[in-house]
């Protein structure tokens, strides 16, 4: 082989492989790279996609995409229910088709780039890889990609589709009683739902209710997170004091609220705090401490305070366990050196215990904050979102279903489960929670020193 031929081979082989792969997926691997198994597999994928767009598979992909655009068409009166277009199912099928096409396009582009790369490597080596070399490549470099592919496909279908579906609902009029399929079709309405939720001129009571629920959600997340954390921190520090006898017994007692299912604990507290028949009010009256019942759950301000206090009782054991486990990792030599230098207990706590524990637990604290924004159970099982949300003499609960102690997540639940069903507005709130919560959590988590150092 002369030098002129050698110099021309890389460009020709790479260009031929790339051109053939562009014309039909896998063709370059079969014709020029002798990667027959891989090439045939790629070609089969494209054949299936093409057949899905033909009468052979009943125009599956085009029909699904058309259904996503139109969400169905009206049928004549008397048409059986089974023959009516179901807008929600058509939306899901359309999203599924989009995901399939996206995966196909990604694979198509990847095999073009990979084909060119393999061609250049073959020319550089001056020969095609042997069967043994192919097996070694699969076992070392290709195996991780092959192993993770099923997980990526499952995430794409079972995570991405529900996420996109819940977001798209915000741009429809999916609500009862006039737009519930299959009897009625769902239509695209653009950003009308966002105008209803956020525009004072167009939304009526909805913007007022949203503002109050959103503010309370943030206040609740801050109070519930830091109160549970620092109460648990305090008990962890106290129980590590050598002057405390049988600390294991106290730890066991304090862990019990966390060990009992949260739902059962909240139901018990709801009965204990009943404003009329609750044991707490009756006991206080019996002891002549109060003369009138305290509206623990019926007064908006008291209900919020009660919610925070009950959440401390349920949540502080978890923080106590985390803090205790983190404190055990602190070397006692640091405390001994501090004592020799004359540091007081408060100085030891401030300069040794607190910084080291926060270094370890800051990511967990951030995730607790994110979890408390979506802490549905604490609100739903104790107050059910009540009492009613009042603005002066105006009852916002009647028109919006939002209560004084509702978080965004519990309000979303009410909008989807209570009559009338307002799925489209619940989707708007879900998008808001996603937009605000996820970037905030990711930013704070990735900027902690423990995350950067790879230590938790």
């Amino acid at each position: 082989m002369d030098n002129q031929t050698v110099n021309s081979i890389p460009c020709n082989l790479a260009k031929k492989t790339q051109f053939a792969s562009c014309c039909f997926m896998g063709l370059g691997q079969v014709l020029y790279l002798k990667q027959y198994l891989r090439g045939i597999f790629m070609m089969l994928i494209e054949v299936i996609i093409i057949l899905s767009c033909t009468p052979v598979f009943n125009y599956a992909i085009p029909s699904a995409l058309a259904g996503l655009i139109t969400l169905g068409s009206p049928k004549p009166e008397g048409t059986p229910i089974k023959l009516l277009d179901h807008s929600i199912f058509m939306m899901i099928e359309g999203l599924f088709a989009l995901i399939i096409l996206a995966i196909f396009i990604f694979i198509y582009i990847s095999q073009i780039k990979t084909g060119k790369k393999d061609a250049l490597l073959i020319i550089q080596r001056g020969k095609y890889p042997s069967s043994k070399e192919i097996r070694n490549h699969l076992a070392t470099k290709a195996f991780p990609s092959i192993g993770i592919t099923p997980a990526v496909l499952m995430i794409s279908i079972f995570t991405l589709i529900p996420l996109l579906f819940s977001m798209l609902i915000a741009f429809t009029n999916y609500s009862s009683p006039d737009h519930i399929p299959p009897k009625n079709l769902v239509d695209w309405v653009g950003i009308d739902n966002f105008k209803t939720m956020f525009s004072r001129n167009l939304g009526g009571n909805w913007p007022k209710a949203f503002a109050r629920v959103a503010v309370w959600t943030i206040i609740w997340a801050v109070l519930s997170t830091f109160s549970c954390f620092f109460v648990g921190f305090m008990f962890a520090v106290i129980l590590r004091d050598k002057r405390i006898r049988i600390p294991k017994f106290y730890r066991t007692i304090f862990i019990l609220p966390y060990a009992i299912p949260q739902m059962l604990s909240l139901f018990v507290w709801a009965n204990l705090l009943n404003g009329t028949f609750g044991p707490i009010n009756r006991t206080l009256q019996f002891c002549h401490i109060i003369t009138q019942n305290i509206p623990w759950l019926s007064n908006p301000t008291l209900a919020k305070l009660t919610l925070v206090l009950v959440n401390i009782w349920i949540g502080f054991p978890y923080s106590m366990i985390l803090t205790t486990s983190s404190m055990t990792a602190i070397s006692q030599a640091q405390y001994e050196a501090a004592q020799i230098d004359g540091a007081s207990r408060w100085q030891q706590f401030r300069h040794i215990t607190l910084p080291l524990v926060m270094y370890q637990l800051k990511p967990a604290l951030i995730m607790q904050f994110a979890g408390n924004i979506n802490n549905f159970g604490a609100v739903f099982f104790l107050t059910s979102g009540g009492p009613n949300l009042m603005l002066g003499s105006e009852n916002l609960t009647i028109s919006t279903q939002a209560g004084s102690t509702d978080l965004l997540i519990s309000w979303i639940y009410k909008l989807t489960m209570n009559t009338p069903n307002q799925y489209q507005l619940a989707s708007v709130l879900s998008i808001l929670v996603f937009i605000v919560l996820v970037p905030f959590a990711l930013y704070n988590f990735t900027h902690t020193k423990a995350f950067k150092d790879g230590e938790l």
Side-chain angles (χ1 to χ4, degrees), residues 365-406:
L365 187 62
I366 293 170
M367 299 319 295
Q368 283 185 43
F369 177 84
N372 279 321
I373 288 182
N374 287 327
N375 194 344
F376 171 80
V379 173
F380 183 78
F381 294 117
L382 184 63
T383 66
S384 296
N388 289 342
L389 181 61
M390 304 296 295
L391 181 61
S393 60
E394 189 177 8
N395 190 339
L396 301 182
T397 303
I398 295 176
S399 56
T400 65
Q401 303 187 43
S404 294
T405 58
D406 266 322

Side-chain angles (χ1 to χ4, degrees), residues 176 401 413-422:
S176 64
Q401 303 187 43
Y413 174 84
K414 287 183 176 180
L415 291 174
T416 56
M417 299 303 295
N418 295 349
T419 304
N421 309 112
Q422 302 287 331

Side-chain angles (χ1 to χ4, degrees), residues 6-312:
V6 171
N7 293 332
S8 64
I9 287 177
C11 295
N12 289 339
L13 185 61
K15 289 181 178 179
K16 288 180 179 180
T17 303
Q18 193 172 15
F19 178 76
S21 299
C22 289
C23 293
F24 203 92
M25 189 164 72
L27 187 61
Q29 282 80 358
V30 173
L31 293 180
Y32 301 108
L33 303 183
K34 297 184 180 181
Q35 299 175 353
Y36 301 112
L37 185 62
R38 179 180 180 181
I40 292 173
F41 178 74
M42 295 289 181
M43 295 174 72
L44 285 176
I45 293 177
E46 184 165 353
V47 168
I48 293 174
I49 295 295
I50 293 174
L51 291 177
S52 299
C53 300
T54 63
V56 177
F57 285 172
N58 208 13
Y59 300 104
I61 290 181
S63 299
L65 295 177
L68 178 62
I69 296 172
T70 63
L71 296 182
S73 56
K75 302 294 182 182
E77 290 287 340
T79 303
I81 295 292
K82 292 183 178 180
L83 300 180
L84 295 176
D85 289 336
H86 197 297
S87 301
I88 299 305
F89 291 166
M90 296 177 76
M91 184 184 293
I92 296 173
E93 291 170 359
L95 287 173
F96 185 80
L98 278 179
I99 296 297
I100 294 298
L101 286 178
I103 294 174
F104 171 71
I105 293 172
F106 174 78
I107 296 175
Y108 206 118
I109 296 174
S110 297
Q111 62 91 29
I112 294 174
K113 294 181 178 180
T114 304
K116 181 180 179 181
K117 181 180 178 181
D118 290 346
L120 294 174
L121 184 62
I122 289 172
I123 298 305
Q124 182 180 4
R125 297 180 56 190
K127 64 177 184 178
Y128 289 97
S130 63
S131 300
K132 183 178 180 181
E133 290 174 334
I134 294 174
R135 288 195 301 269
N136 291 336
H137 175 76
L138 290 175
T140 55
K141 296 184 179 181
F143 178 76
S145 300
I146 296 174
I148 202 173
T149 298
V152 172
L153 293 176
M154 297 291 284
I155 290 174
S156 300
I157 295 173
F158 294 106
T159 300
L160 191 56
I161 289 180
L163 182 63
L164 292 175
F165 171 76
S166 62
M167 294 177 64
L168 289 180
I169 291 295
F171 301 93
T172 69
N173 57 3
Y174 185 28
S175 60
S176 64
D178 298 325
H179 299 284
I180 298 294
K183 187 177 180 180
N184 304 106
L185 294 175
V186 175
D187 302 311
W188 296 108
V189 296
I191 61 173
D192 288 353
N193 296 319
F194 292 88
K195 293 179 180 178
T196 299
M197 185 61 69
F198 303 121
S199 175
R200 293 186 177 181
N201 297 328
L202 301 175
N205 289 332
W206 289 97
K208 303 173 187 176
F210 167 76
R212 282 154 181 78
V213 173
V215 170
W216 164 238
T217 299
I218 298 300
I219 294 174
W220 154 261
V222 173
L223 291 179
S224 59
T225 299
F226 288 98
S227 60
C228 287
F229 181 79
F230 286 108
V231 169
F233 200 150
M234 179 187 70
F235 277 102
V237 172
I238 292 173
L239 292 177
R240 280 185 60 83
D241 195 303
K242 296 180 180 180
R243 293 171 293 180
I244 299 294
R245 297 183 179 180
I246 54 174
K248 293 183 180 179
F249 172 78
Y250 290 113
R251 287 196 188 98
T252 303
I253 296 298
F254 291 149
I255 289 172
L256 287 179
Y258 182 72
I260 299 172
Q262 185 186 53
M263 181 183 68
L264 297 179
S265 297
L266 291 170
F267 275 138
V268 171
W269 275 107
N271 289 311
L272 291 174
L273 295 168
N274 185 282
T276 306
F277 307 105
I280 293 179
N281 273 343
R282 297 182 67 179
T283 301
L284 293 176
Q285 287 180 336
F286 179 80
C287 296
H288 302 288
I289 298 175
I290 61 174
T291 57
Q292 294 182 345
N293 289 326
I294 300 176
W296 298 106
L297 303 178
S298 57
N299 178 274
T301 303
L302 266 179
K304 293 176 180 178
L305 178 61
T306 301
L307 193 58
V308 172
L309 293 176
V310 172
N311 186 72
I312 292 174

